[in-house]
Amino acid sequence: MDVNKKIEISGIVQGVGFRPFVYKLAHRYALSGSVRNSNDGVELQVQGKMPQVQAFIDSLQQELPSLAHIDSLDIEDDRLMEYKGFRIVESDDTQQKRASMSPDISVCESCLEEMREPSNRRFGYPFINCTDCGPRYSIMQRLPYDRPNISMKLFQMCKECEAEYNNPEARRFHAQPISCFNCGPTLSLLDSKGRALYAGKEAIQKAIEAVREGKIIALKGLGGFHLICDATNRTSVSLLRERKKRPSKPFAVMFPDIDMLKASVIMSSKEEALVLSKEKPIVIASRSDNHGVFEAVAPGIDRLGVFLPYTPLHHLLLEGVGRSVVATSANVSDEPIITGSHDLIDKLGRVVDLVLDHDREIVNANDDTVMQVVAGENCFLRMARGFAPRNIPLPFKSEKKILALGAHQKDTISLVIDDKLIMSPHIGDLNSVQAFEYFERTVETFERMYDFHPDVIVCDEHPEYMTSRWAKERQVQEPSTRLIKIQHHYAHLLAVKAEHNLMGKALGFAFDGTGFGNDKVNSKAREGSLGCGSIWGAEVMILDEKGYQRHLSLHPFRLLGGEKAVKEPRRSALSLLFEYFSLEEVLNLESPIRNAFTAEELKLLHRAWEKGVNSPYATSMGRLFDAVASLADIVHFSSYEGESGLKMEACVDRSNTRHFPFSITEGRIDLEAMVRAIISMKQKREIVSMFFNTLVEIIVQVSRQHPDLPLIFSGGVFQNKVLAEKIVQRMQEEERSFYFQNTTPLNDGGISLGQAWYAVHNL
């Protein structure tokens, strides 16, 4: 007897070849019915004999396409219908959209083989793709993921492409961005004034020649432009630094193939797997001994950000150049990645010699993902292309639609719709008008994609964050919208709980640069109001989903000059000295930090420190790192975020197990003994090694006071690989349950996740 089953599936099931997969599966088991994209994901009807229907359902879950992921599968009986075979039918986009957006995926090996085969009609085609690979989120204008809803709708398929698109046996059956030389986007090579010089294959060849000659080009990728030059040419790299005004911040390096990459860095099997994965992130790896040519690429550190080509165009360029290239995001400092050639020439025309452009619109900007492996586990430094938008199933349905806005640095947003939490790709630091406009566009994109209008908005407690201001203005415009403000470090720790679905009390360590504090011992997230706060950054909390207790923090010290202290680690070092030494003692010190200031500067800054002029108190672990880096004569002036930590990592002696003395009294970690010891020491490696060991020892001693609580760690400081690996080793020795974030950003990119998690559990 025949049965008819209605099956509704949610997850990553649009834009990943799922409907063609279902179509072929239905034909394998001789079933009739239909499949279509829906607002939840995919909806199908299958009719036939029960054994065949059950075999179909089993295969559906066991043989998923490589890019697909099922979050939920609901099956119900339906009445028998008179189907004519099995068909892919038009999508349903009439109701609330909940389908997951698929991230952009690197070009697959099958497409690369075709692109390299001279007899293939797509030989050398820079936009080759199929159902298993290619652009997704970056070209998507709205859901569901169909040709009319992506930027490829402007390119009408030729007869050959249309035949492939409609052929169930073809690899491009319903591949939405399908195209070829006859009907797809066109390449063009522009000069720095925007004038067209060459088109098509000639444009690629001339770009290859330019890179080999030492020129700097901009290349339009999946989610934005790269600035590219020969990584083995010191003159080219130095010229890029000079033109971009980026004196020492590391550049990422793209290699033509894995063999050339592995000759330049030392990789674990886990790191190699990440580099080779379909997402193709930038992976931070240790340099090999054969790295001299890359000193200009990442000066003063022992790591290199490496990745492989991920678009057909990148492959064509790298194979032609035949060596590694710098491939860094094309943007002006504090602004988002550039997606259009006019904008690029206007802002970076003085930086580049040529622009390799094309006319497929990037609808949604998306930067490269950056990752590292710590103690065998993934760690996201930036979650973007290939991994985001990210969908996190919730343990229950939320009655309210929630929009969480994140913080100010490394911003992301998160949406909650029913039982689904959706994290955006990396938006970035909101330090400029352009960056904030990008934030607003991202909110608009997600609201448009999901026909989403929030009942609740969640933001950081900091009153001056642009996200907090935006939330307040939105509530004024829409008074029925509920506004919740969450303390920054509490949100950090909730993000760990969200990722691991941890419930109940935990002991949390939130170590980062700076975050707006609220100086109460027992605190909860507060709705709509703000009290006076100070700057937090090394917080130990006992927390659950309802609130937190600030259990412990660093002894506060002043940030001399406020924001200037972030750029000048010497100021944080000097502030620590003023905490424990008189001005006269500081003036008479024989120490590198004494030589970093003139006598007049020291006297002036001491007056500012005494009176608190533009010198707020902070408990910042990030600034403590800066202070120690300066005291050890490693970094006095910083040109990029995290420079102190990176350069300190390169100085560590892992055989050194000693730590500095410290004390914990009345909720404060006092480091006076450590500071006095450092001043008397000369060896950088010894200072840095003992500093890392001291932080780990503090964590161990505090955790022993709470033996029954799981331990959670979050905040940008834990991106430090040496520190994190030492913590993992000690926690394993202590036989403690502990958690870091492995599938979401550990830094402020995870704040929106923690904010959303609070709202889900408190509405």
Side-chain angles (χ1 to χ4, degrees):
M1 180 178 177
D2 284 355
V3 296
N4 186 16
K5 299 288 185 180
K6 181 180 179 181
I7 304 175
E8 294 182 347
I9 303 172
S10 68
I12 304 293
V13 289
Q14 290 191 17
V16 292
F18 193 81
R19 289 178 300 168
F21 159 70
V22 169
Y23 179 95
K24 293 174 184 177
L25 213 56
H27 278 266
R28 181 199 299 177
Y29 293 107
L31 302 176
S32 60
S34 64
V35 60
R36 68 176 179 178
N37 282 340
S38 70
N39 291 302
D40 284 332
V42 165
E43 179 184 296
L44 51 145
Q45 301 273 162
V46 287
Q47 185 167 295
K49 303 299 183 186
M50 186 60 206
Q52 283 74 28
V53 170
Q54 187 58 54
F56 168 88
I57 293 170
D58 292 341
S59 297
L60 187 70
Q61 299 173 79
Q62 296 167 6
E63 302 175 23
L64 284 176
S66 61
L67 306 183
H69 176 79
I70 292 177
D71 290 335
S72 66
L73 187 149
D74 297 319
I75 305 171
E76 60 181 59
D77 293 323
D78 207 348
R79 62 188 177 88
L80 294 176
M81 303 284 287
E82 292 186 8
Y83 294 115
K84 294 181 179 179
F86 194 91
R87 299 183 302 129
I88 296 177
V89 298
E90 198 170 312
S91 301
D92 174 20
D93 61 354
T94 58
Q95 300 178 15
Q96 169 70 50
K97 295 179 174 63
R98 297 175 64 254
S100 299
M101 288 184 278
S102 172
D104 299 302
I105 297 298
S106 64
V107 60
C108 69
E109 288 300 319
S110 297
C111 283
L112 287 177
E113 287 177 12
E114 291 180 349
M115 188 185 76
R116 293 165 179 156
E117 173 52 55
S119 63
N120 192 284
R121 75 186 190 92
R122 291 189 176 89
F123 173 59
Y125 184 54
F127 306 101
I128 191 169
N129 66 83
C130 68
T131 53
D132 294 329
C133 68
R136 299 303 198 260
Y137 170 74
S138 62
I139 61 171
M140 196 183 301
Q141 294 169 327
R142 64 188 182 94
L143 288 169
Y145 180 74
D146 289 327
R147 183 85 170 202
N149 297 336
I150 63 177
S151 58
M152 283 299 295
K153 68 183 179 183
L154 301 177
F155 301 91
Q156 185 173 353
M157 282 182 267
C158 66
K159 290 182 179 180
E160 290 87 352
C161 285
E162 191 171 9
E164 289 179 281
Y165 182 85
N166 291 313
N167 179 4
E169 302 304 317
R171 203 173 80 256
R172 295 184 175 86
F173 182 43
H174 277 243
Q176 302 306 328
I178 186 173
S179 64
C180 69
F181 282 113
N182 297 324
C183 62
T186 303
L187 273 182
S188 57
L189 188 66
L190 316 176
D191 66 15
S192 60
K193 302 294 184 184
R195 294 173 294 214
L197 303 176
Y198 302 98
K201 291 184 178 180
E202 194 174 11
I204 298 176
Q205 188 55 44
K206 293 298 183 182
I208 290 168
E209 292 172 8
V211 174
R212 292 181 66 88
E213 291 168 2
K215 290 185 169 61
I216 299 166
I217 73 165
L219 178 147
K220 189 175 183 180
L222 270 181
F225 276 89
H226 276 141
L227 298 181
I228 287 176
C229 72
D230 183 350
T232 68
N233 185 325
R234 295 178 186 275
T235 302
S236 295
V237 176
S238 298
L239 185 61
L240 178 58
R241 288 201 177 282
E242 180 185 332
R243 289 181 180 179
K244 203 169 187 287
K245 294 181 172 60
R246 185 169 166 173
S248 59
K249 186 177 182 180
F251 288 129
V253 181
M254 182 180 283
F255 291 81
D257 56 59
I258 187 64
D259 292 333
M260 196 177 296
L261 185 152
K262 288 170 68 176
S264 300
V265 293
I266 302 167
M267 303 202 84
S268 67
S269 58
K270 187 72 176 282
E271 289 167 335
E272 184 176 347
L274 273 179
V275 165
L276 291 169
S277 70
K278 64 183 183 296
E279 292 86 3
K280 297 291 189 298
I282 296 171
V283 177
I284 309 299
S286 299
R287 293 183 180 186
S288 68
D289 293 335
N290 179 32
H291 71 261
V293 293
F294 298 118
E295 181 57 34
V297 172
I301 62 174
D302 60 353
R303 310 276 168 80
L304 200 62
V306 297
F307 61 145
L308 293 175
Y310 55 84
T311 73
L313 184 55
H314 283 99
H315 276 278
L316 290 168
L317 182 83
L318 269 290
E319 289 168 14
V321 172
R323 59 183 75 124
S324 60
V325 299
V326 166
T328 187
S329 302
N331 67 316
V332 177
S333 180
D334 290 333
E335 292 187 16
I337 189 169
I338 295 171
T339 59
S341 58
H342 292 295
D343 198 21
L344 184 131
I345 288 164
D346 179 54
K347 294 181 177 180
L348 297 176
R350 59 176 178 75
V351 175
V352 301
D353 299 303
L354 296 168
V355 179
L356 190 54
D357 191 23
H358 60 75
D359 56 353
R360 184 180 71 199
E361 180 189 2
I362 297 173
V363 179
N364 303 306
N366 205 359
D367 217 328
D368 293 317
T369 289
V370 183
M371 302 180 70
Q372 64 181 356
V373 176
V374 179
E377 298 290 341
N378 293 342
C379 175
F380 279 91
L381 309 186
R382 181 167 71 203
M383 187 180 73
R385 174 189 52 77
F387 294 90
R390 187 171 205 88
N391 301 278
I392 301 173
L394 295 173
F396 53 82
K397 284 190 175 183
S398 170
E399 295 182 2
K400 303 291 186 182
K401 294 184 180 69
I402 300 164
L403 171 62
L405 302 178
H408 187 81
Q409 309 292 327
K410 301 174 183 64
D411 192 51
T412 64
I413 62 170
S414 291
L415 277 66
V416 174
I417 307 172
D418 294 337
D419 58 352
K420 182 181 296 186
L421 190 153
I422 305 148
M423 284 187 74
S424 78
H426 169 84
I427 296 170
D429 299 349
L430 307 183
N431 295 328
S432 67
V433 172
Q434 293 79 6
F436 184 66
E437 288 174 348
Y438 178 37
F439 158 80
E440 292 186 305
R441 287 197 303 274
T442 303
V443 173
E444 290 167 4
T445 293
F446 277 74
E447 289 185 332
R448 180 182 71 250
M449 291 278 194
Y450 289 101
D451 288 341
F452 177 88
H453 194 84
D455 303 306
V456 179
I457 294 176
V458 196
C459 68
D460 195 276
E461 283 192 336
H462 198 303
E464 298 304 317
Y465 278 0
M466 296 301 293
T467 48
S468 302
R469 290 181 176 184
W470 185 91
K472 187 175 180 180
E473 290 173 5
R474 178 82 174 245
Q475 190 191 37
V476 169
Q477 296 167 4
E478 302 173 11
S480 62
T481 304
R482 187 172 173 182
L483 177 61
I484 300 176
K485 300 186 178 184
I486 307 289
Q487 200 282 323
H488 186 91
H489 301 92
Y490 179 42
H492 262 308
L493 297 171
L494 287 176
V496 189
K497 291 173 72 68
E499 179 179 311
H500 294 282
N501 196 20
L502 298 173
M503 302 301 293
K505 287 195 177 296
L507 181 66
F509 296 83
F511 291 178
D512 64 1
T514 56
F516 190 81
N518 92 45
D519 296 318
K520 296 180 180 179
V521 175
N522 294 291
S523 304
K524 277 191 169 185
R526 289 168 290 154
E527 298 188 29
S529 64
L530 269 171
C532 295
S534 62
I535 298 172
W536 290 4
E539 310 308 315
V540 183
M541 296 177 171
I542 296 174
L543 70 147
D544 59 17
E545 289 67 41
K546 300 297 182 181
Y548 68 91
Q549 174 188 356
R550 190 187 189 198
H551 179 64
L552 197 65
S553 67
L554 274 184
H555 183 81
F557 59 96
R558 290 194 182 277
L559 300 184
L560 285 166
E563 286 295 319
K564 276 190 175 181
V566 178
K567 298 289 186 183
E568 299 181 26
R570 62 177 191 153
R571 288 174 176 263
S572 293
L574 185 61
S575 180
L576 277 183
L577 294 184
F578 287 158
E579 287 288 330
Y580 307 122
F581 296 88
S582 68
L583 174 59
E584 184 178 353
E585 287 174 317
V586 172
L587 285 167
N588 292 322
L589 280 176
E590 291 185 8
S591 168
I593 186 61
R594 166 62 185 86
N595 299 328
F597 298 92
T598 67
E600 286 305 313
E601 284 177 322
L602 287 173
K603 293 173 184 176
L604 181 65
L605 288 169
H606 189 263
R607 285 197 294 272
W609 177 84
E610 280 186 314
K611 297 183 178 182
V613 177
N614 193 25
S615 301
Y617 274 112
T619 60
S620 168
M621 184 61 74
R623 302 292 75 78
L624 180 62
F625 263 74
D626 287 346
V628 173
S630 181
L631 291 171
D633 200 23
I634 295 171
V635 179
H636 297 298
F637 295 88
S638 180
S639 64
Y640 61 90
E641 184 187 10
E643 182 175 2
S644 296
L646 278 172
K647 291 188 173 177
M648 289 167 74
E649 283 185 84
C651 286
V652 169
D653 176 4
R654 289 181 181 265
S655 66
N656 186 327
T657 59
R658 294 180 298 122
H659 63 81
F660 292 112
F662 61 87
S663 63
I664 300 175
T665 54
E666 298 181 351
R668 299 294 192 196
I669 304 165
D670 193 327
L671 299 176
E672 178 178 359
M674 182 187 81
V675 174
R676 290 185 178 276
I678 289 174
I679 288 298
S680 67
M681 298 167 67
K682 302 296 182 186
Q683 295 299 319
K684 298 177 184 180
R685 288 173 65 82
E686 187 178 19
I687 292 171
V688 171
S689 302
M690 290 181 65
F691 172 66
F692 280 118
N693 295 340
T694 302
L695 296 184
V696 175
E697 192 62 30
I698 290 169
I699 289 168
V700 169
Q701 289 195 20
V702 174
S703 66
R704 285 174 178 169
Q705 298 170 11
H706 305 275
D708 299 326
L709 294 180
L711 310 177
I712 57 179
F713 301 90
S714 188
V717 165
F718 293 116
Q719 292 176 161
N720 187 288
K721 188 171 183 176
V722 170
L723 176 62
E725 288 181 340
K726 283 178 175 288
I727 291 170
V728 169
Q729 181 181 346
R730 288 296 300 276
M731 292 303 105
Q732 289 172 342
E733 291 171 357
E734 297 277 318
E735 298 183 344
R736 294 298 298 268
S737 296
F738 64 95
Y739 302 88
F740 288 84
Q741 288 158 263
N742 305 123
T743 63
T744 55
L746 193 65
N747 54 36
D748 280 10
I751 290 287
S752 68
L753 172 60
Q755 292 171 342
W757 192 250
Y758 176 85
V760 162
H761 287 86
N762 288 278
L763 294 174

